[in-house]
Amino acid sequence: MRIVIAEDSVLLRAGLIKVLETSGFEVAAAVGEAEGLLAAVREHRPDAAIVDVRMPPGFTDEGVRAALVMRRETPGTAVLLLSQYVEERYAADLLSTSTSGVGYLLKDRVADVSAFLDALRRVASGGTALDPEVVSQLLLRRHRDPLDRLTPREKEVLALMAEGRSNAGIAAALVVSESAVAKHINSIFAKLDLPHAEGDHRRVLAVLRFLDGEG
Amino acid sequence: MASISAARRVRVHAPWSAAAWRDTVFVVSGVPLQLAGWLVLGSVWTVWAPVRVTPILVLTGVSAILLLLALRPLTSWQRERCWAMLGLDIPRMPDFDGGRAWDVLRDLRSPELWRVLQYHLLAGPFLALGGLAVTAAWAAGLALATSPAYAWAVHPGDPLADHPQRVAVLTAVGVLLLAAAPWAAAGVRRLDARAAAALLGPDRAKELQRRVEDLAEKRASVVDAADLERRRIERDLHDGAQQRLVSLALNLGLARETLTGVPDEAMRVIVEAHEEAKAALTELRDLIRGLHPAVLEDRGLDAALSGVAARVPLPVRLRVDIEPRASSTVEAVAYFVVSEALTNVVKHARANEVDVRVERRGDVLRVTVRDDGAGGADPSAGTGLTGLARRVRSVDGTFRITSPAGGPTTVTVELPCAL
């Protein structure tokens, strides 16, 4: 799997390269700012790009904006955004383009190497990886009233679903059986009036559509 | 002056005391300056006194202009006189003393100009009369007090010769005048000093207003500077310590997952270090987020507050309605208010849910944080509420808290949108 890294901290860039190469990924390019990222993606067409949100020159949301451009120009390249802080606004921007092949995680998550690499693989293969923190922000924002109808357990399931986990992943996280998870999900869809859909990222799409108040 | 005994006052006002001479010299030296205003006005008319209307009008204009041009030198000489003889410092008036001599003609409606005119044309002449009276008192006093010598020296047949009663009466009057002159001089000196300070120096009310404006401006810049400093610290920590820590945690995580054949003891140390590094990252993140989140600059209060609210371990209802955006300093304070108030709720309130509302009404940003907890919050008990109130006051905001025992607790903060 070929990866491009955009991260302005030299130290962290080196660390990421080491982690990826040790785990059998191929790092096609590693750059320090948004312009270089776009050029590298056009040139190498990697499977995924790992992108820092705050990069030169402005140190605000350059990474998010570059990711939006990438989604338009090279839809085949998945984007995993990393940031010291996750913000629901940036998540909403990113997910408004499409929910397949996007991820948005706190930077700290790279320290849990195998979980981080799982998320990267999931994103690169067209799935979704959202940080629990950003999911809880999204849940807080929108349409509280229908959400109030969910039981606490169902809210947990919804949050895990929004992170992009499969039924098996949710079952493992909550230590329940997969059939129990399926039951919860059906109940959630019924309460939230969401259409049934196939595949993880479409579930996320459905959830986020609902959270954004567009569904 | 009440504390000074009568004996001391008499001593101070004795005709031979230094104070009496100082007052006298001061009062007398004022006379020519105080009459100068009218002298300037009248000087043109001594040269030529027309009887036709047009020349009279022209001459009136000319003399008025001459007087106006003389005002500034006259005023500064008066100030010099007060400073040199009394040590009384009358500050210059920026609006009147600045620029060139003929700038006085520019703004004939300036209140400073009219106050100066009042001194030179009304108070001045009256004080000059006082000065002349003091001079007369000294002169007559000296002349009359020394009348016995005169009476002794003159030829027989003079009205004073061989009239001891007359001489005695005149001498008594002279001594009385000599005794009274210092009091008169002190009185005129006091009046003059008061008039000069009131009419030739800056207007107190205006000066205070200017000072308030100046202080408000300074305070705003201090608040802005503090805000800028917080942002700088946030940037430095983000670019430095945070990246290093992430990198450290990453390397420890890698070691933890890839090293094989490491003794258990060593592995345990690595695992502990890894967990410790992650905990440090979380702590540092929360600390920096409280300083000034980058997203606040970028996307505003609404976006920044969702992050704060999401980290509170109880249900938060957040409603933000603030179009157009307030100044960045005010936004930073509003952010701090919500963040600090929520921290307080989590620490002390034992609440089940919190309601946060931020709304803009005209030029006021109103922040309300309400929880259904135990109540009884006391802003003077040294909780975070004290710092919160202080930060709100720094931008001229108001801070109110109602927290009856048994709850609910409501913190209401109103901030002016433009500093």
Side-chain angles (χ1 to χ4, degrees):
Chain A
M1 217 179 258
R2 291 162 66 254
I3 311 286
V4 166
I5 300 174
E7 160 66 60
D8 58 309
S9 155
V10 180
L11 203 62
L12 201 54
R13 204 157 64 210
L16 280 170
I17 294 171
K18 190 163 66 183
V19 166
L20 292 171
E21 290 185 338
T22 327
S23 318
F25 289 85
E26 181 196 336
V27 179
V31 297
E33 35 73 48
E35 274 309 306
L37 164 70
L38 293 173
V41 168
R42 282 179 208 126
E43 185 189 341
H44 298 288
R45 301 278 162 167
D47 299 295
I50 298 174
V51 183
D52 182 14
V53 169
R54 266 169 102 174
M55 281 191 292
F59 295 96
T60 52
D61 62 344
E62 283 74 9
V64 179
R65 278 182 273 154
L68 296 178
V69 175
M70 275 173 53
R71 299 303 290 161
R72 269 204 318 274
E73 286 185 356
T74 49
T77 297
V79 182
L80 176 55
L81 279 180
L82 291 181
S83 176
Q84 217 64 266
Y85 302 93
V86 287
E87 307 289 352
E88 41 93 12
R89 280 311 145 86
Y90 297 157
D93 284 358
L94 194 65
L95 294 161
S96 65
T97 54
S98 119
T99 60
S100 63
V102 293
Y104 185 22
L105 297 177
L106 274 173
K107 222 179 241 189
D108 310 7
R109 309 289 180 209
V110 303
D112 293 317
V113 177
S114 53
F116 169 67
L117 293 175
D118 281 350
L120 178 60
R121 284 194 195 94
R122 191 160 76 221
V123 170
S125 60
T128 319
L130 288 183
D131 204 281
E133 260 220 37
V134 83
V135 172
S136 57
Q137 285 182 34
L138 285 164
L139 286 173
L140 170 110
R141 295 303 302 183
R142 324 266 167 215
H143 286 272
R144 294 199 46 98
D145 303 341
L147 283 181
D148 288 344
R149 291 207 299 270
L150 301 181
T151 65
R153 193 50 145 185
E154 284 167 351
K155 277 186 198 165
E156 279 175 43
V157 172
L158 178 68
L160 290 165
M161 223 162 68
E163 282 170 36
R165 293 178 194 241
S166 62
N167 283 15
I170 297 172
L174 296 179
V175 203
V176 293
S177 68
E178 267 192 66
S179 62
V181 170
K183 228 184 297 178
H184 282 310
I185 290 175
N186 284 333
S187 160
I188 292 168
F189 281 166
K191 282 182 183 173
L192 299 186
D193 211 15
L194 288 171
H196 280 272
E198 286 304 308
D200 287 346
H201 71 266
R202 293 173 76 184
R203 301 198 310 173
V204 173
L205 178 64
V207 170
L208 293 170
R209 272 266 169 81
F210 163 76
L211 292 174
D212 266 346
E214 298 163 8
Chain B
M1 291 308 248
S3 60
I4 298 177
S5 66
R8 170 116 198 269
R9 275 174 50 188
V10 170
R11 210 169 45 244
V12 166
H13 289 100
W16 53 87
S17 71
W21 287 104
R22 184 203 62 188
D23 288 350
T24 303
V25 171
F26 174 75
V27 166
V28 173
S29 68
V31 174
L33 282 176
Q34 282 152 346
L35 294 175
W38 286 105
L39 290 176
V40 170
L41 265 183
S43 58
V44 187
W45 306 85
T46 56
V47 179
W48 178 44
V51 286
R52 304 257 294 280
V53 174
T54 314
I56 286 181
L57 286 177
V58 169
L59 224 51
T60 309
V62 168
S63 55
I65 287 171
L66 279 178
L67 171 68
L68 288 174
L69 289 178
L71 279 182
R72 273 178 50 177
L74 283 177
T75 303
S76 65
W77 289 335
Q78 285 284 18
R79 287 199 199 115
E80 288 298 326
R81 186 172 70 95
C82 289
W83 171 245
M85 299 187 186
L86 297 183
L88 171 69
D89 183 20
I90 300 171
R92 291 161 57 89
M93 294 181 279
D95 294 343
F96 176 78
D97 292 283
R100 297 187 182 80
W102 50 88
D103 285 351
V104 176
L105 303 174
R106 277 217 188 128
D107 184 10
L108 294 180
R109 286 173 315 173
S110 91
E112 282 82 9
L113 176 66
W114 286 96
R115 284 194 298 119
V116 169
L117 270 175
Q118 273 178 48
Y119 182 89
H120 290 298
L121 296 186
L122 299 175
F126 172 74
L127 289 163
L129 287 181
L132 292 172
V134 170
T135 317
W138 280 113
L142 269 176
L144 294 176
T146 53
S147 54
Y150 175 84
W152 171 75
V154 291
H155 300 285
D158 188 276
L160 281 185
D162 307 321
H163 284 88
Q165 286 107 332
R166 282 188 201 172
V167 173
V169 168
L170 288 176
T171 308
V173 170
V175 169
L176 276 177
L177 277 175
L178 282 184
W183 295 85
V188 176
R189 185 255 307 161
R190 257 198 299 278
L191 284 174
D192 194 0
R194 208 169 296 169
L199 299 173
L200 301 182
D203 182 15
R204 264 189 69 81
K206 224 176 144 176
E207 206 47 30
L208 284 174
Q209 192 187 348
R210 199 197 301 268
R211 185 122 183 80
V212 166
E213 280 165 15
D214 188 41
L215 285 173
E217 209 168 290
K218 282 202 180 95
R219 188 188 61 177
S221 69
V222 166
V223 170
D224 284 346
D227 200 44
L228 209 64
E229 188 63 5
R230 274 190 209 98
R231 270 178 266 174
R232 195 186 59 76
I233 293 169
E234 191 273 341
R235 246 308 282 289
D236 288 354
L237 285 171
H238 175 272
D239 294 350
Q242 270 184 313
Q243 307 299 334
R244 275 178 198 286
L245 260 179
V246 171
S247 172
L248 169 70
L250 175 69
N251 283 320
L252 286 168
L254 198 59
R256 183 176 174 176
E257 295 194 12
T258 56
L259 289 181
T260 48
V262 181
D264 285 354
E265 196 59 38
M267 198 40 148
R268 210 175 14 254
V269 170
I270 291 175
V271 168
E272 264 174 31
H274 183 230
E275 293 302 322
E276 203 57 44
K278 285 198 293 181
L281 264 174
T282 306
E283 252 175 57
L284 185 61
R285 187 171 69 231
D286 289 348
L287 170 82
I288 296 177
R289 174 104 206 184
L291 275 177
H292 191 105
V295 74
L296 181 60
E297 217 61 29
D298 188 22
R299 302 289 172 100
L301 208 44
D302 189 19
L305 286 177
S306 62
V308 179
R311 279 205 308 280
V312 175
L314 46 122
V316 178
R317 206 177 274 270
L318 177 65
R319 259 164 298 181
V320 182
D321 172 21
I322 45 159
E323 285 302 322
R325 282 180 71 170
S327 78
S328 64
T329 301
V330 171
E331 279 191 343
V333 174
Y335 175 84
F336 176 80
V337 166
V338 174
S339 167
E340 201 57 30
L342 286 174
T343 305
N344 258 321
V345 169
V346 173
K347 269 195 201 152
H348 309 290
R350 299 194 298 282
N352 296 315
E353 60 171 23
V354 195
D355 190 72
V356 178
R357 236 184 255 200
V358 186
E359 53 204 351
R360 182 172 181 156
R361 294 277 169 272
D363 278 343
V364 176
L365 198 68
R366 173 192 276 240
V367 181
T368 324
V369 180
R370 181 190 169 95
D371 71 73
D372 62 351
D378 180 10
S380 58
T383 51
L385 292 170
T386 324
L388 207 157
R390 200 178 302 138
R391 184 114 184 241
V392 168
R393 276 199 300 272
S394 77
V395 292
D396 246 353
T398 58
F399 168 85
R400 281 197 307 277
I401 179 166
T402 56
S403 186
T409 300
T410 310
V411 172
T412 310
V413 166
E414 290 191 340
L415 305 167
C417 284
L419 279 183

